């Protein structure tokens, strides 16, 4: 559940952030990586779509099409919360901040009848109690009655929408050979986050802050507190000017099953959108 850490993240600044002495963010001689987005717009009222649950606050970015919504559940099947993405979300991650509950994840590639759990290695599940088997709309997200998304407690919902040159949520089917699939994004990739939907494989993420040239071999398992690992020769991928390519046949990234992913492009300071490859 959510906790207060006075020496964790101590300030959000206009051009960065400040950390205290908490070991998880500032241990001497240890390396850290931070994933950041500028969500500079906010709302406390006035959402469109007539949501049945009114959030306490939303921060969002129309140019990046990312949103964070804080809300209190009402236990009603089919309850809705708003978002300000200007189109249907392609990925949604909901966390109960009050108690220890799973991070519930929606991907448009799988649909609202399916669910993934960000903090576990579980395979895809067919569940109606999370998204109420109802696809999100351009203004609303539908919730079921499971306590991980809609009890009488406080939650935060992070939403992402595909934006050319910025973000792509999608899926691919692996081929289980070293010369793995190439996934086109149409932009230069800086971050990739993926999961084998059929197996009990970990979620795995790569970035170009720790690997500045190919192959990209350093990765994190966000469903664990394990240290960063280097999979050189086992889980290598390439970050390309217009996508990414799998270079190994490890089942975490390239078995013969369906994988979901979110890829982010390189964004200049101030959230200036980059040129789109090929345009």
């Amino acid at each position: 559940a959510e906790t207060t850490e006075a020496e964790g993240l101590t300030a959000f600044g206009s051009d960065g952030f400040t950390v205290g002495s908490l070991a998880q963010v500032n241990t001497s001689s240890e390396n850290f990586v931070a994933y950041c987005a500028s969500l500079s717009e906010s709302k406390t009222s006035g959402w469109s779509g007539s949501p049945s649950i009114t959030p306490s606050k939303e921060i969002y970015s129309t140019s990046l099409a990312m949103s964070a919504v804080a809300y209190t559940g009402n236990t009603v099947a089919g309850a809705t919360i708003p978002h300000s993405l200007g189109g249907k979300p392609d990925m949604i991650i909901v966390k109960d901040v009050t108690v220890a509950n799973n991070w519930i994840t929606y991907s448009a590639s799988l649909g609202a009848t399916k669910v993934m759990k960000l903090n576990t290695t579980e395979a895809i599940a067919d569940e109606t109690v999370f998204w109420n088997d109802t696809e999100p709309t351009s203004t609303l997200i539908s919730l079921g009655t499971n306590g991980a998304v809609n009890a009488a407690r406080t939650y935060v919902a992070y939403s992402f929408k595909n934006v050319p040159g910025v973000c792509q949520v999608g899926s691919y089917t692996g081929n289980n050979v070293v010369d793995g699939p190439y996934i086109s994004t149409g932009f230069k990739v800086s971050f990739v986050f993926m999961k084998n939907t059929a197996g009990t494989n970990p979620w795995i993420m790569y970035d170009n802050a720790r690997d500045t040239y190919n192959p990209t071999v350093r990765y994190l398992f966000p469903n664990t507190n394990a240290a960063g690992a280097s999979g050189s020769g086992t889980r290598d991928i390439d970050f390309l000017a217009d996508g990414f390519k799998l270079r190994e046949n490890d089942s975490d990234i390239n078995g013969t099953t369906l994988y979901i992913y979110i890829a982010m492009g390189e964004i200049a300071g101030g959230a200036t959108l980059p040129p789109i490859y090929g345009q």
Side-chain angles (χ1 to χ4, degrees), residues 22-70:
L22 187 71
Q24 288 91 329
V25 297
N26 190 16
T27 299
S28 178
S29 301
E30 291 190 0
N31 297 320
F32 297 81
V33 63
Y35 304 116
C36 308
S38 177
L39 307 185
S40 57
E41 302 165 86
S42 65
K43 282 185 179 180
T44 56
S45 63
W47 288 277
S48 60
S50 301
S52 58
I53 295 174
T54 301
S56 58
K57 186 176 181 180
E58 177 186 17
I59 57 171
Y60 64 100
S61 168
T62 52
S63 59
L64 300 181
M66 301 180 194
S67 165
V69 174

Side-chain angles (χ1 to χ4, degrees), residues 180-193:
Y182 156 73
I183 295 89
S184 174
T185 61
F187 54 77
K188 186 176 181 180
V189 173
S190 66
F191 170 90
V192 174
F193 182 25

Side-chain angles (χ1 to χ4, degrees), residues 93-270:
I93 302 170
V94 173
K95 180 66 178 79
D96 182 340
V97 303
T98 309
V99 301
N101 246 326
N102 292 316
W103 293 70
I104 303 304
T105 304
Y106 160 89
S107 170
S109 298
L110 304 177
T113 65
K114 310 295 184 183
V115 68
M116 301 290 289
K117 297 171 184 175
L118 184 61
N119 59 297
T120 79
T121 61
E122 293 178 25
I124 187 174
D126 191 340
E127 299 274 5
T128 188
V129 293
F130 295 104
W131 311 118
N132 202 46
D133 283 1
T134 304
E135 290 292 322
T137 71
S138 61
T139 57
L140 299 174
I141 297 166
S142 293
L143 304 172
T145 56
N146 187 275
V149 296
N150 190 18
R153 295 192 292 268
T154 304
Y155 299 82
V156 62
Y158 302 103
S159 300
F160 306 83
K161 183 175 75 70
N162 288 349
V163 179
V166 176
C167 172
Q168 181 169 294
V169 176
S171 63
Y172 65 88
T173 299
N175 62 12
N176 197 35
V177 299
V178 171
D179 185 14
Y182 156 73
I183 295 89
S184 174
T185 61
F187 54 77
K188 186 176 181 180
V189 173
S190 66
F191 170 90
V192 174
F193 182 25
M194 62 187 71
K195 173 70 170 80
N196 183 332
T197 63
T200 55
N201 298 76
W203 297 79
I204 186 167
M205 57 171 62
Y206 301 83
D207 60 77
N208 68 356
R210 292 173 300 146
D211 276 316
T212 58
Y213 54 86
N214 289 321
T216 302
V217 300
R218 293 178 176 88
Y219 55 85
L220 293 167
F221 294 140
N223 54 277
T224 79
N225 63 356
S230 175
S232 181
T234 57
R235 296 182 179 91
D236 300 5
I237 69 173
D238 281 349
F239 281 1
L240 306 174
D242 59 350
F244 63 97
K245 181 174 173 61
L246 308 175
R247 292 295 188 184
E248 300 293 342
N249 61 349
D250 188 281
S251 63
D252 287 348
I253 63 171
N254 186 24
T256 55
T257 58
L258 183 72
Y259 295 76
I260 59 171
Y261 71 88
I262 180 169
M264 307 301 296
E266 288 193 336
I267 308 298

Side-chain angles (χ1 to χ4, degrees), residues 5-22 24-26 32 34 36:
E5 294 285 3
E7 292 298 325
L9 178 65
T10 60
F12 282 110
S14 61
D15 59 353
F17 58 93
T18 305
V19 296
S21 58
L22 187 71
Q24 288 91 329
V25 297
N26 190 16
F32 297 81
C36 308

